[in-house]
């Protein structure tokens, strides 16, 4: 079965073709980062308009890369939510219109399930069950995953997501948008002894997170320096921030594995590409004797491949999930635990 995946939840337009027999056939992606940099963040109206411009050309590019015709597609999976309403509507309208034109079945996919399952696209995928850390600009959650659609929420952020804290702290340091990668790179030049920022909820005895206070600690530290703050001082603040957030994420993952008794940890979402996080978790895995799995770097951020794969996995287990009801709707807010098992 060949599934077309369409992703348009925020500021990346992604399309991909996944075959349940041969694996990923092709994928194409356009990022809007350059467009939104001028505004210091994603502008929803601009994001929606750019999705309109990009979707069809990327669809043709994906078909050409796979050496296929559109008639060979068996089903279409699209991101139904969560995300920006206008951006979601672009992908949904394209998927439903194409499905009606080709008389192909459709499946609305949960964006976070796409991220959660993306490490299974790797050459050495994890086996179920496992603990998953879903960590991105909009979400920070620890989940127990027993199968496709079988997710138990262990804990989540009570305020800012980890990726959001990265971006906002980077902005406080005057770094360009998106700031997550920039502040991590800058932190490598910093002295870890200068700033010992708090580790929020590190000893809370649960699996919840809170990063708004850490962001405030960064703001307080920055204000203590004379303006303009030097590059050295910026690097030291960045190092203190990154060390704090990585310590919390690592400790919570270890605790979740201990409580569940599982030995496999999966990292998903944009922050999963962070080098400091990967280094810390790999070191912890060696000490604590567990396995840790990551998506390929190209699949850490939003992409069509993860949507095609998640759709294919659900349809493979239950073909009846597909529909030919082409009157689409989207779900900008959609808790992951509301998903049913495939």
């Amino acid at each position: 079965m060949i599934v077309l995946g369409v992703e348009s939840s925020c500021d990346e337009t992604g399309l991909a073709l996944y075959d349940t027999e041969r694996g990923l056939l092709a994928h194409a992606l356009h990022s809007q980062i350059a467009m939104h940099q001028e505004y210091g963040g994603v502008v929803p109206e601009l994001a929606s308009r750019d999705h309109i411009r990009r979707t069809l050309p990327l669809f043709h590019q994906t078909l050409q890369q796979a050496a296929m015709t559109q008639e060979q597609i068996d089903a279409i999976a699209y991101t139904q939510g969560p995300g920006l309403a206008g951006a979601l509507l672009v992908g949904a309208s394209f998927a439903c219109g194409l499905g009606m034109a080709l008389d192909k079945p459709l499946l609305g996919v949960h964006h976070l399930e796409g991220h959660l399952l993306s490490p299974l696209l790797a050459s050495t995928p994890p086996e179920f069950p496992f603990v998953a850390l879903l960590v991105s600009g909009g979400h920070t959650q620890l989940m127990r995953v027993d199968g496709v659609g079988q997710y138990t929420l262990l804990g989540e952020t009570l305020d800012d997501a980890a990726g959001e804290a990265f971006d906002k702290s980077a902005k406080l340091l005057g770094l360009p948008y998106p700031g997550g990668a920039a502040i991590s790179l800058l932190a490598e030049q910093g002295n870890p002894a200068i700033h010992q920022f708090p580790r929020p909820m590190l000893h809370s005895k649960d699996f919840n997170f809170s990063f708004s206070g850490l962001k405030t600690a960064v703001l307080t530290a920055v204000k203590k320096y004379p303006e303009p703050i030097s590059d050295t001082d910026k690097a030291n603040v960045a190092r203190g921030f990154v060390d704090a957030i990585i310590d919390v994420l690592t400790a919570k993952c270890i605790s979740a594995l201990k409580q569940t008794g599982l030995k496999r940890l999966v990292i998903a979402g944009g922050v999963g590409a962070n080098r400091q996080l990967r280094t810390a978790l790999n070191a912890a895995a060696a000490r604590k004797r567990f396995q840790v799995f990551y998506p390929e770097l190209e699949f850490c951020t939003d992409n069509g491949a993860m949507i095609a794969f998640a759709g294919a996995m659900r349809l493979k287990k239950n073909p009846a999930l597909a529909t030919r009801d082409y009157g689409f709707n989207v779900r900008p807010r959609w808790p992951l635990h509301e998903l049913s098992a495939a």
Side-chain angles (χ1 to χ4, degrees):
M1 176 174 54
I2 297 175
V3 178
L4 171 70
V6 183
E7 157 62 24
S8 68
S9 64
C10 189
D11 60 341
E12 272 99 15
T13 314
L15 284 95
L17 288 161
Y18 183 86
D19 188 337
T20 53
E21 300 297 328
R22 294 177 289 165
L24 185 63
L25 303 179
H27 69 99
L29 181 71
H30 174 77
S31 173
Q32 302 175 4
I33 286 177
M35 181 177 67
H36 295 295
Q37 276 181 334
E38 181 180 352
Y39 306 95
V42 177
V43 181
E45 176 65 19
L46 296 180
S48 302
R49 291 177 180 272
D50 200 61
H51 285 309
I52 294 172
R53 286 191 291 267
R54 307 292 179 178
T55 303
L56 189 58
L58 288 174
F59 173 56
H60 291 311
Q61 180 181 333
T62 304
L63 286 174
Q64 184 176 22
Q65 183 182 341
M68 284 178 49
T69 65
Q70 59 187 17
E71 286 76 19
Q72 292 175 275
I73 297 170
D74 295 309
I76 302 170
Y78 66 95
T79 303
Q80 191 173 18
L84 301 175
L88 289 168
L89 284 167
V90 176
S93 61
F94 172 80
C96 293
L98 182 65
M100 184 168 62
L102 300 177
D103 190 26
K104 303 293 184 179
L106 301 167
L107 178 66
V109 171
H110 196 294
H111 178 76
L112 298 185
E113 182 171 53
H115 276 302
L116 202 60
L117 298 179
S118 62
L120 275 69
L121 284 164
S123 55
T124 54
E127 295 180 0
F128 299 115
F130 53 77
V131 169
L133 173 66
L134 182 58
V135 58
S136 66
H139 305 275
T140 302
Q141 299 177 326
L142 272 167
M143 311 283 297
R144 178 186 172 118
V145 180
D146 290 291
V148 177
Q150 297 176 274
Y151 313 128
T152 303
L153 179 65
L154 302 176
E156 61 186 338
T157 182
L158 304 179
D159 41 59
D160 289 356
E164 183 181 4
F166 267 97
D167 288 339
K168 288 182 176 178
S169 296
K171 191 171 184 178
L172 292 173
L173 290 172
L175 302 177
Y177 171 85
I183 196 171
S184 294
L185 186 62
L186 183 62
E188 294 178 359
Q189 305 169 32
N191 184 338
I194 303 298
H195 292 284
Q196 295 297 317
F197 290 129
R199 271 64 171 163
M201 300 189 73
L202 182 63
H203 304 293
S204 63
K205 297 183 180 180
D206 59 28
F207 305 117
N208 291 327
F209 304 88
S210 173
F211 297 116
S212 62
L214 182 55
K215 179 186 62 183
T216 302
V218 171
L219 175 61
T220 302
V222 170
K223 285 184 174 180
K224 290 182 179 179
Y225 289 106
E227 295 184 1
I229 182 172
S230 70
D231 290 342
T232 298
D233 292 333
K234 283 184 180 181
N236 291 335
V237 172
R239 179 62 182 266
F241 164 79
V242 171
D243 284 353
I245 204 166
I246 297 303
D247 283 353
V248 172
L249 291 173
T250 303
K252 295 281 185 176
C253 287
I254 294 172
S255 296
L257 288 167
K258 183 178 180 180
Q259 178 171 300
T260 59
L262 299 178
K263 291 294 185 180
R264 287 183 290 271
L265 175 68
V266 163
I267 310 301
V271 182
N274 183 277
R275 284 186 292 183
Q276 288 97 333
L277 178 60
R278 291 192 176 211
T279 298
L281 289 174
N282 289 340
R287 293 195 313 272
K288 301 291 184 177
R289 298 181 183 275
F290 64 86
Q291 293 177 287
V292 59
F293 300 85
Y294 310 94
E296 302 290 346
L297 286 175
E298 61 182 330
F299 300 137
C300 285
T301 55
D302 297 348
N303 61 86
M306 68 182 192
I307 302 303
F309 179 74
M313 292 302 97
R314 281 189 164 266
L315 292 174
K316 186 176 180 179
K317 289 182 175 292
N318 186 1
L321 290 172
T323 178
R324 280 184 165 81
D325 179 2
Y326 302 114
F328 61 89
N329 66 343
V330 295
R331 300 187 62 179
R333 298 192 180 196
W334 187 5
L336 184 60
H337 65 261
E338 291 184 3
L339 275 180
S340 61

